[in-house]
């Protein structure tokens, strides 16, 4: 038993994924012996309806000057953030003379660059110095820090209040969400809005995409839990918009002015979540069983291919794949290497399971028989550009929403 990070009620895990390393902790052989592990165990709080992991490594172990995740690696995501920024400009910045936009966890500036290019006053707050530096190189004003109430005070003194606070795939990373929410409430103008998007609990339950649960994702949100978590800070959920990104995400708009109307999308979404049982313990029990079935099928398939000496590689050394590989005990005897386009990951080994990560060139220069689609959330983009792999006789191994060969 421990206390819910949001409301303080007692919570207990409904399953465990076992011992896990840091999801983005790609490492070298000399680091194998000192690798850090923690128990990855999710719990559901029946008081505020939020899903969270019980233990999380210290943030400094996850977000640092060698952080390995760079948002710009996907063309689809670049287009997505260009559209996101255009929508914010069109819907929320039209009435203002000199608007100010703040993004929490702005990574390499993939979203804010759109505001910078349009000459809009902006500031990114990004704790990992290496990715922050890339953002600056793209003309995006960025400070390296973990946002909280104290940082909000400093920003207000230096820049004034913000019209919009944005974040994408970041809010679910923040364990001290209460401090961050009250910092956002301080930082916003009275007419200001908070708009953020994260992987959506409804999709994770529906697709058994358990790999969205890893150290960085301390929370998995639903509209119900977002409404509950932000209301005590004076932020009201006024709109929700489903997104295709990261295998199914939700974009939430919250207003400081609680007189703002709640959209019918919110009302419908909250009703749908009740119907789907997103606040019911039985749903999480079923999810646990589905995870176990998925693990059994994937390990059986990869074990068979190993015994038949098939050439299997991984496609995309994603953060999510750390959960899959460690939960399913997938190692170098199953997978020869994982192909990834991120230079910072190449030449290193996957966290916990120690499979070599190699450049994309190694994949295309000698196609394997099978490729495990770890970057399944980028499936459409990848399948379209990897036609030659299929033409060579290669096949994909997928495991979300279910284990199959395609
Ligand atoms: P993500 O699922 O967290 O966005 O991470 C995707 C990872 O997959 C990232 O390390 C980059 C890699 N990747 C490729 O290697 N090739 C690709 O075509 C895409 C889209 C991603
Ligand atoms: Zn709670």
């Amino acid at each position: 038993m421990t206390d819910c990070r949001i409301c303080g009620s007692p919570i207990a895990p409904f399953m465990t994924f076992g011992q896990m390393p840091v999801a983005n902790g790609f490492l070298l052989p000399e680091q194998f012996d000192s690798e850090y592990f923690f128990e990855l165990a999710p719990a559901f709080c029946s008081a505020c309806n939020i899903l969270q992991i019980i233990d999380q490594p210290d943030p400094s172990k996850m977000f640092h000057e060698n952080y390995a995740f760079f948002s710009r690696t996907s063309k689809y995501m670049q287009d997505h953030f260009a559209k996101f920024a255009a929508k914010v400009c069109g819907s929320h910045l039209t009435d203002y003379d000199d608007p100010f936009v703040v993004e929490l966890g702005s990574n390499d500036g993939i979203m804010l660059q759109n505001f910078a290019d349009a000459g809009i006053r902006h500031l990114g707050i990004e704790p990992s110095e290496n990715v922050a530096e890339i953002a600056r190189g793209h003309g995006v004003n960025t400070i390296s820090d973990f946002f909280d109430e104290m940082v909000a005070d400093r920003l207000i003194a230096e820049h004034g209040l913000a019209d919009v606070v944005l974040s994408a795939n970041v809010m679910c990373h923040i364990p001290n969400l209460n401090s961050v929410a009250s910092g956002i409430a301080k930082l916003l103008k009275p007419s200001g809005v908070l708009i953020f998007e994260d992987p959506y609990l409804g999709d994770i339950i529906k697709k058994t995409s358990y790999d969205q649960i890893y150290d960085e994702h301390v929370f998995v949100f639903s509209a119900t839990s977002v409404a509950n978590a932000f209301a005590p800070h004076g932020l009201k959920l006024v709109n929700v918009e489903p997104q295709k990104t990261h295998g199914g995400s939700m974009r939430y708009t919250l207003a400081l002015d609680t007189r703002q109307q709640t959209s019918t999308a919110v009302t419908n979404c909250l009703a749908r979540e009740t119907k789907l049982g997103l606040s019911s313990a039985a749903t999480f029990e079923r999810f646990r069983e589905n995870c176990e079935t998925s693990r059994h099928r994937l390990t059986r398939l990869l074990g068979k291919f190993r015994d038949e000496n098939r050439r299997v590689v991984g496609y995309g050394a994603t953060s999510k794949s750390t959960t899959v590989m460690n939960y399913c005990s997938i190692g170098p005897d199953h997978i020869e290497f994982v192909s990834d386009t991120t230079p910072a990951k190449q030449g290193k080994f996957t966290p916990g399971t120690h499979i070599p990560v190699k450049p994309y060139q190694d994949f295309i220069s000698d196609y394997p028989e099978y490729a495990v689609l770890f970057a399944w959330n980028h499936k459409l983009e990848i399948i379209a550009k990897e036609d030659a792999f299929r033409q060579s006789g290669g096949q994909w191994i997928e495991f979300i929403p279910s284990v199959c060969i395609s």
Side-chain angles (χ1 to χ4, degrees), residues 69 73 246 315-316 318 320 340-342 345 377-378 382 385:
F69 182 75
T73 47
H246 289 293
Y315 194 103
T318 63
K320 299 182 293 297
D340 198 286
T341 51
T342 315
K345 296 180 186 177
N377 49 313
H378 301 289
I382 291 171
K385 76 179 171 197

Side-chain angles (χ1 to χ4, degrees), residues 349-401:
F349 291 77
T350 58
T353 52
H354 305 163
I355 301 171
V357 181
K358 298 204 170 164
Y360 175 59
Q361 190 57 35
D362 287 50
F363 174 71
I364 50 174
S365 61
D366 183 15
Y367 284 129
E369 294 175 86
Y370 297 99
V372 182
L373 188 58
F374 286 118
W376 60 269
N377 49 313
H378 301 289
K379 178 176 168 177
L380 292 180
E381 180 175 349
I382 291 171
I383 303 278
K385 76 179 171 197
E386 300 303 352
D387 198 39
F389 167 56
R390 295 296 305 278
Q391 296 298 331
S392 78
Q395 289 186 291
W396 295 102
I397 298 175
E398 298 183 55
F399 51 92
I400 305 284

Side-chain angles (χ1 to χ4, degrees), residues 3-11 44-50 52:
D3 293 342
C4 169
R5 289 180 181 84
I6 299 298
C7 72
S9 302
I11 51 168
F44 176 72
C45 176
S46 51
C48 71
N49 307 115
I50 209 158
Q52 61 197 287

Side-chain angles (χ1 to χ4, degrees), residues 150-281:
M150 267 161 56
V151 174
D153 287 333
R154 209 177 78 216
L155 296 187
I156 295 164
E158 287 172 17
H159 303 273
L161 297 175
D163 297 282
V164 179
V165 172
L166 299 171
S167 89
N169 309 309
V170 165
M171 205 64 85
C172 70
H173 290 59
I174 301 176
N176 57 337
L177 193 67
N178 280 323
S179 169
V180 167
S182 59
I184 294 168
K186 266 187 181 178
L187 180 60
L188 283 173
K189 288 180 184 168
S191 58
V193 287
L194 161 67
I195 310 174
F196 73 92
E197 60 185 37
D198 277 302
Y200 178 55
L201 180 64
D203 287 291
I204 292 172
I205 296 292
K206 196 165 81 195
K207 297 174 189 160
T208 316
S209 42
Y210 65 87
D211 56 349
Q212 291 289 5
I213 300 173
Y214 57 91
D215 55 4
E216 295 178 18
H217 290 176
V218 63
F219 297 114
V220 179
F221 296 123
S222 59
T224 311
S225 60
V226 164
N228 290 343
F230 286 87
H233 303 281
L235 285 157
K236 176 182 167 187
L237 181 63
V238 293
N239 200 22
V240 288
E241 298 160 274
Q243 307 293 319
K244 289 201 173 76
T245 48
H246 289 293
S249 296
M250 190 65 82
R251 183 177 298 165
Y252 307 95
T253 302
L254 295 105
L256 207 49
D257 180 356
T258 48
R259 290 166 307 180
Q260 267 208 35
Q261 287 283 320
T262 301
S263 71
T264 50
V266 171
T267 318
N268 293 341
C269 188
L270 294 174
R272 208 168 43 243
E273 289 184 354
T274 306
K275 216 166 138 197
L276 283 172
L278 294 194
S279 300
S280 133

